[in-house]
Amino acid sequence: MKLLQTEFLIARHFRNSVFKNAAIYIITIFIGLLLLYAAFSGWDNYRNQNETSEKYQHESREDWLKNPDKNPHRMAHYGNFAFRKSSSLSVFEFGMEPFFGNAIFLEAHKQNTANFSEAGFSNSMLRFGEISIAMVLQILLPLLIFFIGFNSVAHERENGTLKIFLSQGVSWKQLLTGKTLGIASVVMIIFIPTIIVLVFIWLLLQNFSITTDEIIKMILFIFFHFVYLLFFCVTAVLVSASSKTSKKALVSLIGIWLIFTIILPRTTQAIGAYLYEAPSKIQFGSDIEKDILKQGDSHNPNDIHYKAIKDSLLRVYKVDSVQKLPFNYSGFIMTEGERISSNIYNQHLEELLHIYAKQNSFSKAVSFLNPYIAMKNLSMGLSNTDYDSYIDFQKQAEVYRYNMAQKMNALQVKYISNKKPGPNDKPLTIGKEHWADVEDFHYEPKGIAAVLKTEIISIISIVLWITFFFVLILFASKKLKVV
């Protein structure tokens, strides 16, 4: 403790001097109000989306079960809905959620994409981003840190007190560490109450019933944001210490902030999309249709592929017509058609996801040059509001859709007769009690293990950045000049 006594004295002196400036109070109050608004906005968005999802998922289920006796294939085309609920941490980190849909219509022979995104119902102002707690912590607080710390050492050099400090036995290392702790202590006045409110809201949203997985996500969310802010405190002190005047330090720090939070993120996205160009939605759907037609049309009785299947079935069962088969022939063909079309879709989807993975890998690689990108990616991953979470929802919905369609096909194979009904006969149907055999869709967010595996590069990047800057303090302690 004695070893840090000088650093703590410098930190306390710096903190006291900061609050002699009335502008700090105004900025602090402004950011505090922004955080309160962001917390309320996140709470409201989370509550509305989850209430809406629960409502329509329940209505969709009721509509499915209320269907009368019907042909199972008609039920497969009647379809169902899959809704995605928001995770509790999405209250603080909206991520890509406003731009991704949260509902998918599921039907036989067709894979639909998610719809009903918030962006789809919003005006162009959404392009500028929504105010979330994560946005304030990741963008505005670093700017505040730079505003507080730009003159932390440069001002001492300008008014001559730097020589006095060093002549009294204070080392550069102690001075830089003390100034860093001083800036951090000012920022903690905002950060700590924010975290307390954040945790309370998080517990309240879950009725104080939380899992170990969610606790770990929350702890990591808080810890890495603290480390991220500490990085900017160190940056402010080092730039100030290496600048001859406060003005030069301020200009340099604003430039760093603009590059990290505005320029590099947008440039990275544009370059990634240019280097690894993905097909359009129309092209993607068209390619799938072409490949499916190459395999055959299960709804066309004269299709070559399915005619070969019919002929082989007739030979195996030693009958001369599909009407004499011991199972429903149409249901069997629909089962085969669903399997083929789903396999083709999944193949094309994997190819598309591979392209997107390359785009994202480029962005993650740039995180070694920009801690903001690393923090943003990790924050979205922990909140289940990143691109991978959206794809995970799509895949879970596709598994459910495929099983639903094949369940209906299996019911058709088992219960529907091959004999065509006459013009005055009742349609071939099965009892509506079979609809309950298809369970309701329930989305499971990615667990912490999957998140950490996906965001390992972001974690390494943040750790390397903060390690590098503390090493830089040691290096700068030996190289910095008083004048």
PDB file of all heavy atoms in Angstrom, residues 148-160:
ATOM      1  N   ILE A 148     -11.240  14.912 -20.070  1.00  0.00           N
ATOM      2  CA  ILE A 148     -10.707  15.069 -18.714  1.00  0.00           C
ATOM      3  C   ILE A 148      -9.184  14.992 -18.705  1.00  0.00           C
ATOM      4  O   ILE A 148      -8.500  15.751 -18.002  1.00  0.00           O
ATOM      5  CB  ILE A 148     -11.281  13.968 -17.782  1.00  0.00           C
ATOM      6  CG1 ILE A 148     -12.782  14.161 -17.583  1.00  0.00           C
ATOM      7  CG2 ILE A 148     -10.565  13.971 -16.425  1.00  0.00           C
ATOM      8  CD1 ILE A 148     -13.447  12.994 -16.877  1.00  0.00           C
ATOM      9  N   GLY A 149      -8.630  14.075 -19.514  1.00  0.00           N
ATOM     10  CA  GLY A 149      -7.214  13.755 -19.375  1.00  0.00           C
ATOM     11  C   GLY A 149      -6.271  14.412 -20.352  1.00  0.00           C
ATOM     12  O   GLY A 149      -5.052  14.216 -20.251  1.00  0.00           O
ATOM     13  N   PHE A 150      -6.780  15.232 -21.292  1.00  0.00           N
ATOM     14  CA  PHE A 150      -5.884  15.787 -22.307  1.00  0.00           C
ATOM     15  C   PHE A 150      -4.798  16.688 -21.706  1.00  0.00           C
ATOM     16  O   PHE A 150      -3.694  16.791 -22.221  1.00  0.00           O
ATOM     17  CB  PHE A 150      -6.684  16.550 -23.376  1.00  0.00           C
ATOM     18  CG  PHE A 150      -7.150  17.914 -22.958  1.00  0.00           C
ATOM     19  CD1 PHE A 150      -6.411  19.048 -23.268  1.00  0.00           C
ATOM     20  CD2 PHE A 150      -8.344  18.067 -22.274  1.00  0.00           C
ATOM     21  CE1 PHE A 150      -6.838  20.309 -22.890  1.00  0.00           C
ATOM     22  CE2 PHE A 150      -8.794  19.323 -21.899  1.00  0.00           C
ATOM     23  CZ  PHE A 150      -8.035  20.451 -22.199  1.00  0.00           C
ATOM     24  N   ASN A 151      -5.114  17.357 -20.596  1.00  0.00           N
ATOM     25  CA  ASN A 151      -4.135  18.264 -19.986  1.00  0.00           C
ATOM     26  C   ASN A 151      -3.556  17.710 -18.686  1.00  0.00           C
ATOM     27  O   ASN A 151      -2.967  18.436 -17.891  1.00  0.00           O
ATOM     28  CB  ASN A 151      -4.749  19.633 -19.740  1.00  0.00           C
ATOM     29  CG  ASN A 151      -5.876  19.573 -18.721  1.00  0.00           C
ATOM     30  OD1 ASN A 151      -6.293  18.488 -18.312  1.00  0.00           O
ATOM     31  ND2 ASN A 151      -6.373  20.725 -18.318  1.00  0.00           N
ATOM     32  N   SER A 152      -3.739  16.404 -18.460  1.00  0.00           N
ATOM     33  CA  SER A 152      -3.318  15.796 -17.190  1.00  0.00           C
ATOM     34  C   SER A 152      -1.832  15.971 -16.929  1.00  0.00           C
ATOM     35  O   SER A 152      -1.410  16.238 -15.792  1.00  0.00           O
ATOM     36  CB  SER A 152      -3.678  14.302 -17.166  1.00  0.00           C
ATOM     37  OG  SER A 152      -3.100  13.642 -18.284  1.00  0.00           O
ATOM     38  N   VAL A 153      -0.999  15.833 -17.966  1.00  0.00           N
ATOM     39  CA  VAL A 153       0.449  16.029 -17.828  1.00  0.00           C
ATOM     40  C   VAL A 153       0.907  17.261 -18.605  1.00  0.00           C
ATOM     41  O   VAL A 153       1.777  18.006 -18.139  1.00  0.00           O
ATOM     42  CB  VAL A 153       1.212  14.778 -18.317  1.00  0.00           C
ATOM     43  CG1 VAL A 153       2.720  14.981 -18.181  1.00  0.00           C
ATOM     44  CG2 VAL A 153       0.787  13.544 -17.528  1.00  0.00           C
ATOM     45  N   ALA A 154       0.305  17.486 -19.770  1.00  0.00           N
ATOM     46  CA  ALA A 154       0.707  18.623 -20.608  1.00  0.00           C
ATOM     47  C   ALA A 154       0.533  19.951 -19.873  1.00  0.00           C
ATOM     48  O   ALA A 154       1.361  20.868 -20.020  1.00  0.00           O
ATOM     49  CB  ALA A 154      -0.113  18.629 -21.899  1.00  0.00           C
ATOM     50  N   HIS A 155      -0.526  20.061 -19.069  1.00  0.00           N
ATOM     51  CA  HIS A 155      -0.752  21.301 -18.308  1.00  0.00           C
ATOM     52  C   HIS A 155       0.343  21.501 -17.273  1.00  0.00           C
ATOM     53  O   HIS A 155       0.789  22.651 -17.033  1.00  0.00           O
ATOM     54  CB  HIS A 155      -2.122  21.255 -17.639  1.00  0.00           C
ATOM     55  CG  HIS A 155      -2.443  22.489 -16.838  1.00  0.00           C
ATOM     56  ND1 HIS A 155      -2.662  23.710 -17.425  1.00  0.00           N
ATOM     57  CD2 HIS A 155      -2.548  22.679 -15.492  1.00  0.00           C
ATOM     58  CE1 HIS A 155      -2.912  24.608 -16.498  1.00  0.00           C
ATOM     59  NE2 HIS A 155      -2.844  24.006 -15.298  1.00  0.00           N
ATOM     60  N   GLU A 156       0.793  20.402 -16.660  1.00  0.00           N
ATOM     61  CA  GLU A 156       1.873  20.493 -15.681  1.00  0.00           C
ATOM     62  C   GLU A 156       3.162  20.972 -16.361  1.00  0.00           C
ATOM     63  O   GLU A 156       3.943  21.745 -15.781  1.00  0.00           O
ATOM     64  CB  GLU A 156       2.130  19.122 -15.036  1.00  0.00           C
ATOM     65  CG  GLU A 156       0.904  18.451 -14.441  1.00  0.00           C
ATOM     66  CD  GLU A 156       0.484  19.069 -13.122  1.00  0.00           C
ATOM     67  OE1 GLU A 156       1.122  20.056 -12.706  1.00  0.00           O
ATOM     68  OE2 GLU A 156      -0.497  18.582 -12.520  1.00  0.00           O
ATOM     69  N   ARG A 157       3.377  20.532 -17.600  1.00  0.00           N
ATOM     70  CA  ARG A 157       4.568  20.950 -18.349  1.00  0.00           C
ATOM     71  C   ARG A 157       4.473  22.436 -18.709  1.00  0.00           C
ATOM     72  O   ARG A 157       5.473  23.169 -18.635  1.00  0.00           O
ATOM     73  CB  ARG A 157       4.698  20.093 -19.601  1.00  0.00           C
ATOM     74  CG  ARG A 157       5.890  20.482 -20.488  1.00  0.00           C
ATOM     75  CD  ARG A 157       5.998  19.608 -21.718  1.00  0.00           C
ATOM     76  NE  ARG A 157       6.564  18.309 -21.409  1.00  0.00           N
ATOM     77  CZ  ARG A 157       5.924  17.170 -21.517  1.00  0.00           C
ATOM     78  NH1 ARG A 157       4.660  17.174 -21.934  1.00  0.00           N
ATOM     79  NH2 ARG A 157       6.506  16.024 -21.225  1.00  0.00           N
ATOM     80  N   GLU A 158       3.268  22.876 -19.092  1.00  0.00           N
ATOM     81  CA  GLU A 158       3.085  24.272 -19.520  1.00  0.00           C
ATOM     82  C   GLU A 158       3.286  25.266 -18.383  1.00  0.00           C
ATOM     83  O   GLU A 158       3.884  26.335 -18.585  1.00  0.00           O
ATOM     84  CB  GLU A 158       1.682  24.436 -20.122  1.00  0.00           C
ATOM     85  CG  GLU A 158       1.528  23.815 -21.508  1.00  0.00           C
ATOM     86  CD  GLU A 158       0.103  23.919 -22.025  1.00  0.00           C
ATOM     87  OE1 GLU A 158      -0.844  23.621 -21.264  1.00  0.00           O
ATOM     88  OE2 GLU A 158      -0.068  24.294 -23.194  1.00  0.00           O
ATOM     89  N   ASN A 159       2.783  24.937 -17.196  1.00  0.00           N
ATOM     90  CA  ASN A 159       2.887  25.914 -16.092  1.00  0.00           C
ATOM     91  C   ASN A 159       4.104  25.684 -15.188  1.00  0.00           C
ATOM     92  O   ASN A 159       4.261  26.347 -14.154  1.00  0.00           O
ATOM     93  CB  ASN A 159       1.604  25.930 -15.252  1.00  0.00           C
ATOM     94  CG  ASN A 159       1.327  24.589 -14.582  1.00  0.00           C
ATOM     95  OD1 ASN A 159       2.216  23.745 -14.459  1.00  0.00           O
ATOM     96  ND2 ASN A 159       0.084  24.390 -14.150  1.00  0.00           N
ATOM     97  N   GLY A 160       4.963  24.723 -15.569  1.00  0.00           N
ATOM     98  CA  GLY A 160       6.218  24.539 -14.853  1.00  0.00           C
ATOM     99  C   GLY A 160       6.159  23.640 -13.641  1.00  0.00           C
ATOM    100  O   GLY A 160       7.201  23.383 -13.003  1.00  0.00           O
TER     101      GLY A 160
END
